[in-house]
Amino acid sequence: MTVWHWEAYAAWQRMSNMISTTLSARMRKRDVARNIRVELPIGSPKDLVSTLWSHEFCDMVCNSESGQITTTPDAAERPIRATWRPMLHFADDSHIDWDAVEANGGLPFTSGPSIGHTFGYSVNPCFNDDDRAAAFESLRKSIDRKKRQHAPASPHFLALASTAPQISTGSEEFTDTWDLLGLMIEKRMWANPRYAWLSGVLHHRPNRMALKSDTIYTLEYNPNPNARVPAPPTFAKAIAGDGEFHSMWQRPRRRSTSRQA
């Protein structure tokens, strides 16, 4: 078993959370309702991104109902953009002015008497083909480090869990990590003789919506068709739920340390 950690995405997530947390607190403190959208590419420099949670940026957003800023080409390899507009609010659903909503750029908006000034925030990580390749390279290195633990004469399976169960690929779009990378394992790793030592992988998918009494995760089996030692049929049946199997465990005998004269 191993846990895959992609630092580039983890750093992006930390910066995204910092922007959201800081701006939300400052908007509410000033009683200003704005909807802010940030296009934040993976690998953006932290010192440059920190501008988006600065007092200067907050003043800019508060002092103008709408606007946009973009980094210059020499500041970052991929531009960082931030746009903002008013967060419309209506007394109730029957008073929603759809023409005003459309003129304001569409969703989101708020309605209801119990909702005061609201801060909206969305992010686009600008996840492109280069990022996808970098993610797969990071995953491959995690798998390579487990090779020294395998027994050459036995089938070897690796259960993979990710510190990022979902990866944001759009402003409001999330993709399961293994939906994104599972196909790359099948297309790029299984065809590579270098990974013939691996009989297959198990994708660990947590279920965030499950009750405590329900299954909180699933394991998706991804066999290697070119494995040097393929999975035994009983394993494939057990994973598919096509049969019942019982395991036996015997307590190991303690080795005696006494010596006879």
Side-chain angles (χ1 to χ4, degrees):
M1 299 180 64
T2 190
V3 176
W4 172 59
H5 173 81
W6 184 27
E7 178 54 31
Y9 187 78
W12 174 87
Q13 190 69 61
R14 289 193 296 270
M15 290 187 292
S16 174
N17 292 341
M18 186 65 180
I19 295 171
S20 176
T21 301
T22 306
L23 287 182
S24 177
R26 290 176 178 171
M27 294 292 105
R28 289 191 174 97
K29 185 176 181 180
R30 301 191 184 197
D31 207 23
V32 173
R34 295 286 187 271
N35 179 40
I36 301 175
R37 174 189 170 94
V38 178
E39 295 181 16
L40 183 62
I42 301 291
S44 295
K46 182 179 179 180
D47 57 344
L48 194 62
V49 180
S50 63
T51 303
L52 298 177
W53 61 71
S54 66
H55 286 285
E56 290 76 13
F57 180 70
C58 184
D59 291 340
M60 190 183 306
V61 173
C62 290
N63 294 336
S64 58
E65 286 194 338
S66 60
Q68 174 179 322
I69 61 170
T70 305
T71 55
T72 58
D74 60 330
E77 184 176 351
R78 287 186 284 174
I80 303 170
R81 297 185 181 90
T83 60
W84 64 94
R85 52 191 171 94
M87 176 66 82
L88 299 181
H89 175 75
F90 304 97
D92 53 54
D93 291 349
S94 64
H95 288 82
I96 296 176
D97 186 341
W98 292 106
D99 290 335
V101 171
E102 184 177 357
N104 193 47
L107 299 175
F109 61 86
T110 60
S111 65
S114 61
I115 300 177
H117 285 77
T118 305
F119 168 76
Y121 172 78
S122 62
V123 63
N124 182 348
C126 305
F127 197 86
N128 61 18
D129 289 340
D130 289 339
D131 297 320
R132 188 176 288 104
F136 181 75
E137 179 67 13
S138 173
L139 175 63
R140 186 187 61 78
K141 289 180 179 179
S142 293
I143 294 175
D144 288 346
R145 285 193 289 268
K146 306 299 289 187
K147 183 178 180 180
R148 63 180 181 271
Q149 299 180 14
H150 91 291
S154 302
H156 190 75
F157 307 94
L158 185 60
L160 293 170
S162 173
T163 55
Q166 291 185 318
I167 292 181
S168 177
T169 55
S171 59
E172 295 181 2
E173 180 180 347
F174 289 85
T175 299
D176 187 282
T177 299
W178 302 124
D179 287 341
L180 186 69
L181 297 177
L183 290 176
M184 299 186 73
I185 291 177
E186 295 177 9
K187 293 179 179 179
R188 297 178 57 179
M189 282 184 53
W190 295 160
N192 189 342
R194 177 180 176 182
Y195 293 96
W197 63 273
L198 191 56
S199 304
V201 296
L202 300 169
H203 302 155
H204 181 275
R205 295 176 183 258
N207 185 359
R208 295 172 176 256
M209 302 301 293
L211 300 175
K212 290 185 178 180
S213 59
D214 296 334
T215 302
I216 59 175
Y217 68 91
T218 58
L219 287 175
E220 181 182 80
Y221 181 38
N222 186 346
N224 181 0
N226 302 313
R228 190 176 298 115
V229 183
T234 51
F235 183 84
K237 289 183 179 180
I239 291 294
D242 293 337
E244 293 185 0
F245 302 88
H246 303 277
S247 61
M248 296 182 64
W249 179 81
Q250 183 178 4
R251 183 184 298 276
R253 291 181 296 177
R254 299 182 65 179
R255 183 175 300 176
S256 176
T257 58
S258 63
R259 294 183 179 180
Q260 294 183 353

